[in-house]
Amino acid sequence: MEKVRVRFAPSPTGFLHIGGARTALFNWLYARHNNGVFILRIEDTDRSRSTDEYIDAIIQGMKWLGLDWDEGPFRQTARFDLYRSYADRLLKEGRAYYCYCSPAELEARRKEAMAAGRALKYDGRCRDLKEPVPGVSPVVRFRMPQEGQTVVDDLIRGRVTFANDQLDDLIILRSDGTPTYNLTVVADDIDMGITHVIRGDDHLNNTPKQIQLYNAFGYPVPKFAHLPMILGPDRARLSKRHGATSVMAYYEMGYLPDALVNYLVRLGWSYGDQEIFTREELIRYFSFENVGRAAAVFNPEKLLWLNSQYIINSSSERLAELVIPFLVKENIVPEGWNPDKQWLARAVDTLKERSKTLVELARSLRYYIAAEVEYDEKARAKFLNKESLGLLTEVRDGLASLAVFSEAEIEKLFRSIIEKHGIKLGRLAQPVRVALTGGTQSPGIFEVIGVLGREKTLQRLQKAIKTAGGQS
Ligand code: GLU
């Protein structure tokens, strides 16, 4: 069988967004599933809207998602000679012609056609022109067959048929000699040996035109797979007003790339009821048979849930690495902070079940890392007062004289204090929790003490005793 060669061909007129990333992912999965080749091609011919900054951003987004490519990135602006040679071939073979109609004339004829209820396509006036029109720089148009049908056998949509008399004699070179989208795509896909064109279904209407170009060049048509649209929760096309659409915004919000990949693949693809997939599973299971035709609805809550699952299932060591930039951004640690990694992983371990994002994880780590706790005012008033003073003092003295500072020993100490007073663990744990974390919610109190260590714990209890009205 012919080796699979696919490409992701973004136009760098914006950041890598959810829809683009899903297209890239499906191409990548198809390539990896088939031991094929994944090519990155930057379609930057629209110079007024393409920027280097967006190219970098797209590359950064793909790297973050772990979508590695085998060839490229190629830039279309470096390939104009190729497109001209393709256009020349069509001119030479009479499959394309020069058109001298000015934009104003075309517009006037369009209006006329509209008023008369005729099709709004180019009327073919220059098709059989023998002589050039002096003083006019012409465009080059492709001579589209006007009879019969063009059939797209789409791997997702099935058979889609277009009547050729609806297809325009499309412009392939503008009057300044620059190539247009349909020509560049087909020339590149031929030149790069693309076997499967996988892209959003907003391109489906271009496909019959492109198939006719393939026919004119005498090349076999690749297979097409048009991915269903992505909608927002209100079922309108996904856009900025539905929240973040740029992939790197999800990095900033503390999402794990694997969680986003897992979420993106489910926008259109399914495999039974399975929700969580390793990358190896995705590569193994991926096929177009399991891609639905219906538009997919983007659901931010589900993405957040998936992210929490990925956080729970990540090793604490890895999370400790990943969370550091977020600790810096939250001003919890200075830039260049170099923690004891083992300690940080232990702290993370107590929090990962309670953190849906790396941002939440970083914020929760604050009380472990900060030199001093800041009390939540309500919690302080309720728990650090005359009533708890005696208990806090007993805990402090008990912890100070523990021979072994282990979670088991700490627990024993707490049990002996509550038994002595005949109280529930909460009565003791809550004031201690406020003393150590500043608030009333935290991981188990013995774990917290274990992570903080004896010295910090004693300092914080000391401060709490003072706050509660006691002496040292
Ligand atoms: N450059 C086009 C886009 O960004 C993609 C063209 C294609 O995949 O054929 O929409």
Side-chain angles (χ1 to χ4, degrees):
M1 215 182 77
E2 176 183 39
K3 195 171 180 78
V4 164
R5 293 177 61 84
V6 295
R7 79 315 191 265
F8 174 50
S11 304
T13 54
F15 298 105
L16 182 64
H17 52 83
I18 292 293
R22 196 230 1 206
T23 301
L25 173 62
F26 279 34
N27 275 284
W28 181 85
L29 284 173
Y30 196 68
R32 296 293 171 256
H33 177 84
N34 290 291
N35 275 316
V37 175
F38 177 48
I39 298 168
L40 177 58
R41 182 170 83 216
I42 306 291
E43 304 209 318
D44 57 346
T45 56
D46 182 350
R47 292 187 203 244
S48 62
R49 293 172 59 224
S50 304
T51 69
D52 285 352
E53 190 204 342
Y54 287 138
I55 296 178
D56 292 345
I58 289 168
I59 287 176
Q60 185 192 28
M62 290 184 64
K63 286 194 173 154
W64 180 64
L65 290 173
L67 304 179
D68 54 329
W69 53 93
D70 308 303
E71 294 178 17
F74 299 107
R75 290 180 67 156
Q76 287 192 321
T77 43
R79 297 165 63 82
F80 276 14
D81 289 346
L82 177 88
Y83 310 135
R84 271 190 211 120
S85 74
Y86 271 70
D88 282 343
R89 230 186 95 187
L90 294 178
L91 278 168
K92 232 181 257 144
E93 293 169 4
R95 308 294 303 247
Y97 60 90
Y98 290 107
C99 169
Y100 298 85
C101 300
S102 70
E105 285 166 339
L106 292 171
E107 186 49 32
R109 277 185 251 152
R110 240 179 87 88
K111 283 203 178 120
E112 258 173 53
M114 200 150 26
R118 289 196 309 268
L120 296 183
K121 55 178 208 161
Y122 179 62
D123 61 5
R125 190 161 300 207
C126 296
R127 266 189 160 215
D128 301 309
L129 216 59
K130 296 283 176 288
E131 296 297 324
V133 177
V136 181
S137 313
V139 301
V140 175
R141 285 190 188 268
F142 176 62
R143 195 183 295 275
M144 194 63 80
Q146 292 301 297
E147 274 144 37
Q149 295 181 325
T150 306
V151 173
V152 182
D153 269 319
D154 193 90
L155 292 170
I156 297 167
R157 307 279 298 241
R159 174 161 289 210
V160 188
T161 306
F162 295 84
N164 290 346
D165 63 8
Q166 299 296 310
L167 303 178
D168 224 337
D169 277 2
L170 59 98
I171 295 174
I172 53 175
L173 292 184
R174 298 186 190 89
S175 57
D176 63 0
T178 57
T180 59
Y181 162 70
N182 283 295
L183 177 68
T184 59
V185 166
V186 172
D188 277 338
D189 286 345
I190 290 173
D191 188 65
M192 295 173 185
I194 299 301
T195 57
H196 295 73
V197 171
I198 303 162
R199 60 187 173 194
D201 70 2
D202 48 333
H203 283 289
L204 185 60
N205 283 331
N206 286 317
T207 306
K209 305 175 201 169
Q210 295 177 7
I211 288 177
Q212 290 303 338
L213 283 168
Y214 277 97
N215 293 344
F217 288 121
Y219 273 92
V221 177
K223 299 241 174 355
F224 289 96
H226 287 95
L227 305 172
M229 265 211 298
I230 304 176
L231 307 177
D234 59 357
R235 303 200 68 86
R237 198 191 174 92
L238 188 67
S239 72
K240 282 204 189 100
R241 67 190 173 79
H242 294 113
T245 54
S246 137
V247 162
M248 290 315 281
Y250 286 89
Y251 163 75
E252 309 263 339
M253 291 188 285
Y255 284 76
L256 300 185
D258 287 342
L260 187 54
V261 160
N262 195 145
Y263 185 71
L264 289 173
V265 79
R266 295 282 290 101
L267 288 175
W269 179 83
S270 60
Y271 190 79
D273 293 333
Q274 191 169 337
E275 288 289 358
I276 298 180
F277 299 87
T278 63
R279 276 193 199 227
E280 291 66 35
E281 285 175 317
L282 290 179
I283 291 171
R284 192 158 2 112
Y285 300 154
F286 187 79
S287 84
F288 286 113
E289 272 150 49
N290 295 327
V291 178
R293 291 183 194 193
V297 177
F298 186 78
N299 178 345
E301 282 100 60
K302 180 137 176 232
L303 172 55
L304 188 60
W305 172 79
L306 260 179
N307 202 53
S308 70
Q309 297 304 303
Y310 271 85
I311 288 186
I312 290 171
N313 294 321
S314 294
S315 77
S316 299
E317 286 71 24
R318 171 146 188 270
L319 292 171
E321 287 292 337
L322 293 175
V323 80
I324 292 174
F326 293 91
L327 290 169
V328 173
K329 229 173 10 194
E330 295 286 321
N331 284 321
I332 294 166
V333 303
E335 192 108 46
W337 185 60
N338 191 12
D340 171 346
K341 293 276 167 61
Q342 238 182 325
W343 174 81
L344 186 60
R346 187 171 169 201
V348 163
D349 202 55
T350 68
L351 292 167
K352 66 186 191 185
E353 303 247 351
R354 330 162 58 92
S355 309
K356 294 196 199 69
T357 66
L358 292 172
V359 171
E360 277 184 31
L361 179 61
R363 287 182 184 155
S364 307
L365 282 165
R366 182 188 291 274
Y367 54 73
Y368 283 136
I369 295 168
E372 296 231 5
V373 286
E374 279 169 42
Y375 299 128
D376 168 72
E377 192 35 46
K378 261 207 198 134
R380 185 202 60 74
K382 185 157 175 209
F383 292 106
L384 303 186
N385 50 32
K386 286 269 176 284
E387 267 169 68
S388 58
L389 186 58
L391 292 170
L392 288 168
T393 310
E394 274 183 65
V395 171
R396 179 199 62 188
D397 295 344
L399 288 174
S401 56
L402 273 188
V404 185
F405 200 78
S406 69
E407 276 179 39
E409 289 302 311
I410 295 164
E411 182 166 355
K412 249 197 234 158
L413 169 71
F414 272 63
R415 300 257 167 237
S416 75
I417 296 175
I418 61 174
E419 268 161 38
K420 186 171 120 201
H421 294 281
I423 54 174
K424 291 219 171 91
L425 179 61
R427 269 286 309 280
L428 178 59
Q430 274 315 64
V432 174
R433 179 168 277 126
V434 176
L436 300 183
T437 72
T440 53
Q441 270 164 18
S442 81
I445 196 67
F446 312 126
E447 284 177 280
V448 171
I449 295 172
V451 172
L452 284 173
R454 181 161 7 210
E455 202 184 322
K456 246 183 174 173
T457 303
L458 292 179
Q459 271 169 12
R460 289 182 185 190
L461 285 169
Q462 192 58 39
K463 181 179 163 192
I465 287 166
K466 253 188 153 164
T467 307
Q471 300 306 307
S472 47

